[in-house]
Amino acid sequence: QVQLVESGGRLVQAGDSLRLSCAASGRTVSMYSMGWFRQAPGMEREFAAAIDRGGASTYYADSVKGRFTISRDNAKNTVYLQMNSLKPEDRAVYYCAARSNLWGSSSAYAYDYWGQGTQVTVSS
């Protein structure tokens, strides 16, 4: 199985940019489609972005489309989430997830492995 560790979360101001990283170990990340989810206090975990195993197709929630970009570097065994024009409502714990399937998914139930999360806080 694969282990996932997120990093890069911190306190930023509205309008700032931030890049999250998800480092995989145990198995090569190229075996998985990958997703980023987020969970705000008192809210359900929600989909943010996903990328297929080859990196050719990406998917985004409407709330982040045009601002966030998911990418992967299989040689570095790492997946990224570039977040631009951050808003206070982007504040959440961000989780990386791996799915044993060619295609990404917006459903959390479709993913097999999860990281511990990294906190992103956006001040207004």
Side-chain angles (χ1 to χ4, degrees):
Q1 63 182 31
V2 63
Q3 291 79 46
L4 305 172
V5 177
E6 303 93 335
S7 63
R10 61 182 176 90
L11 171 64
V12 296
Q13 292 188 332
D16 283 354
S17 296
L18 198 60
R19 188 176 80 161
L20 304 183
S21 299
C22 172
S25 62
R27 283 190 174 181
T28 175
V29 73
S30 62
M31 296 177 63
Y32 304 93
S33 60
M34 302 295 293
W36 284 97
F37 290 76
R38 64 185 185 180
Q39 188 167 18
M43 303 292 285
E44 296 283 326
R45 190 170 298 190
E46 66 172 10
F47 169 73
I51 188 167
D52 70 5
R53 205 163 62 191
S57 296
T58 56
Y59 319 85
Y60 297 96
D62 287 343
S63 57
V64 308
K65 197 172 294 182
R67 299 188 298 123
F68 290 13
T69 302
I70 187 171
S71 62
R72 62 191 302 155
D73 186 338
N74 289 342
K76 294 184 178 180
N77 233 21
T78 302
V79 178
Y80 304 99
L81 185 67
Q82 176 67 43
M83 305 186 294
N84 298 329
S85 303
L86 282 161
K87 305 175 182 179
E89 52 263 42
D90 294 319
R91 175 196 177 198
V93 177
Y94 283 72
Y95 297 91
C96 173
R99 182 183 189 213
S100 302
N101 191 284
L102 176 61
W103 306 109
S105 173
S106 61
S107 171
Y109 297 103
Y111 290 83
D112 304 297
Y113 305 100
W114 292 83
Q116 294 300 305
T118 185
Q119 175 72 52
V120 173
T121 303
V122 184
S123 64
S124 56

